[in-house]
Amino acid sequence: QDTVSKSQRKNINWLVNAHNKSSRKLDVSVHFNSSGGTSNKGIGTEVLVYGNSTKDLASDICKSISEVSGLINRGVKVRTDLGFLRGTNKPSVLLEICFVNSSVDVALYRRDFNKICEAIAKELSKYVGGKIINDVSSTVGESEIEKRAKKLIDKAVEKGIFKDVHDTNKYNKDQLLRYVTILGERLI
């Protein structure tokens, strides 16, 4: 977690350096998009790539997010000007989950947050050759998932993956999922 950067450029440099120092198959950055003004119409989801090496993955992620949430599939966009995509030394994708200036996108994101996360996790898992438990929510009780998330976050603090101390007992389900997602990004 970057707690020292004072500008966007320094933060991007910090992120790229952190990614490039770790052992992984793929670099993933998760964002929310925004366009001028506000909109009461859906704008959608898109995935940005630097070149062709991750276009298929990006297309699969975008399609999956759209299918589980109803967000408009804006597809894959090649962006060679973005520091994260340009600077990482492994294949990378930058996910623009939805547009925050669209009330429709935000409502769909809030409604289908867990489905969106699961869709992303499944596509990333397929890409790196990992396994994911299908429909975790139905195979394991919700309290068991929370316990697992807390243990993962605590281990991440122990191993120095998270630098700050986390009192996981104070986190709600969304916060636990957010930190476990960050942990997954750092380990991929």
Side-chain angles (χ1 to χ4, degrees):
Q1 183 175 6
D2 180 12
T3 58
V4 296
S5 294
K6 303 286 189 221
S7 70
Q8 183 180 24
R9 180 177 300 281
K10 286 182 180 180
N11 176 251
I12 290 170
N13 289 339
W14 184 91
L15 286 169
V16 168
N17 287 333
H19 277 261
N20 287 341
K21 287 179 187 175
S22 66
S23 174
R24 74 249 181 256
K25 294 181 181 179
L26 176 71
D27 289 307
V28 180
S29 191
V30 181
H31 296 253
F32 294 102
N33 214 335
S34 183
S35 56
T38 58
S39 176
N40 60 359
K41 295 181 181 176
I43 302 174
T45 186
E46 60 191 25
V47 179
L48 311 178
V49 298
Y50 185 78
N52 291 327
S53 68
T54 55
K55 268 189 173 177
D56 289 343
L57 168 65
S59 179
D60 292 343
I61 292 171
C62 211
K63 179 181 176 194
S64 292
I65 291 171
S66 179
E67 286 176 352
V68 300
S69 67
L71 286 160
I72 296 167
N73 182 347
R74 294 171 53 92
V76 179
K77 310 281 191 274
V78 175
R79 294 287 303 270
T80 58
D81 59 316
L82 299 177
F84 176 80
L85 296 174
R86 189 178 62 243
T88 52
N89 57 21
K90 293 287 184 181
S92 59
V93 290
L94 192 152
L95 313 181
E96 296 283 8
I97 305 300
C98 69
F99 280 74
V100 296
N101 59 307
S102 162
S103 59
V104 173
D105 283 12
V106 171
L108 292 171
Y109 168 78
R110 286 182 173 157
R111 184 192 72 195
D112 295 319
F113 175 78
N114 288 337
K115 290 178 185 176
I116 291 168
C117 292
E118 287 177 9
I120 294 166
K122 285 178 185 175
E123 295 305 330
L124 293 175
S125 181
K126 280 194 279 187
Y127 182 85
V128 299
K131 292 183 180 180
I132 190 164
I133 300 171
N134 289 331
D135 195 13
V136 174
S137 59
S138 67
T139 60
V140 180
E142 198 65 29
S143 62
E144 182 62 29
I145 291 171
E146 291 171 9
K147 287 178 196 174
R148 288 181 182 181
K150 289 175 183 180
K151 284 182 183 178
L152 284 170
I153 294 167
D154 291 341
K155 284 183 183 178
V157 170
E158 267 179 45
K159 295 183 179 225
I161 297 169
F162 289 143
K163 304 224 183 291
D164 298 331
V165 176
H166 292 262
D167 186 356
T168 55
N169 291 320
K170 293 183 180 178
Y171 291 164
N172 63 35
K173 292 174 191 171
D174 286 343
Q175 290 169 311
L176 289 170
L177 183 58
R178 189 173 305 124
Y179 279 110
V180 169
T181 301
I182 292 168
L183 174 61
E185 288 178 345
R186 291 184 181 179
L187 296 177
I188 289 179

